[in-house]
Each structure stands twice: as C-alpha cells, then as structure tokens.
Amino acid sequence: MEYAYDDQNIFAKILRGEIPNKTVYENDHALAFEDIAPQAPVHVLVIPKGPYMSLDHFARDASPEEQAGFFQAVASVCEMSDLAEGFRGISNTRAHGVQEVPHYHMHILGGRPLGRMLQP
Ligand code: 5GP
C-alpha cells in the first residue's frame, strides 16, 4: 500500500502551531488534545507527530520509539482523564471507516456509557 501524506491536513496545521488546540498531553512523539466537537464528556485525540495517515500506516512505518511515545501518550491521557469506569479508543480509517482527517489519530472517548461499538 502506498501512503501519500498531505501536510495540509488540519492536524498537521495543529502540530505546526498554525491552528490553536487545547493540549492535554505532549511528549517527543505525540500530542493529545481535546476534540473540537466532543461526542462524550471525555473526548481526546492522540496523534503522532510524524507524517502518518492512518493506524495501518503508523503500525507499519513508525519507528519503535514513535510507537512507544504514542502509546505512552495514550496511557497518560487515560490516567489523567476520568476513565476508571472504562472508555473506547477508536481509529477511523479511510472511506469505510469514515476518517475525516488524514493524519493518524486515536479518539479516546469516555465519561458515560457509550453503547455498543457498531450500529446493527
Ligand atoms: P475522524 O472522523 O477523522 O476520525 O475524526 C476527526 C475528528 O477531528 C472529529 O472528531 C472532529 O471533531 C475533530 N476535528 C476536526 N477539526 C478539528 C480541529 O480543528 N480541532 C480539533 N481539536 N478537532 C478537530
């Protein structure tokens, strides 16, 4: 699979500081910030700082350090948010996954019962 990263996507602009965000956590390899249109009391997006389009792209091509940094950010967001009752991590991917922003991100959603994973 060929991945053609578009550096004009909105999360690339956030990473470059061209668009403001409400940062909740940052390390060398990842940034976590509040979703602009929250779907639950907790709705944080965790993104790698590198140019990866999707979960499969990141899993294939990101270095071990980038992957560790990303998941360390996920762990920190979970720890600092009110998620003891549980949460959902979602990575929508391409057309069938209804991915709107072509920079890999994991939604961390929680703070209320979320219902079943997929509509019947
Ligand atoms: P996707 O559909 O790609 O999985 O999710 C993209 C998410 O990015 C959506 O939940 C949307 O609300 C969020 N989003 C889009 N533009 C912005 C923005 O400029 N700032 C922030 N914080 N979130 C955004």
Side-chain angles (χ1 to χ4, degrees), residues 10-11 14 19-22 33-39 43 45 90-93 97-102 105 107:
I10 203 131
F11 294 168
I14 284 176
I19 293 175
N21 74 91
K22 291 186 180 169
F33 53 96
E34 292 179 10
D35 195 290
I36 204 168
Q39 305 291 309
H43 190 169
L45 301 169
I90 298 175
S91 290
N92 299 316
T93 304
V98 194
Q99 179 179 6
E100 292 173 10
V101 180
H105 49 284
H107 298 256

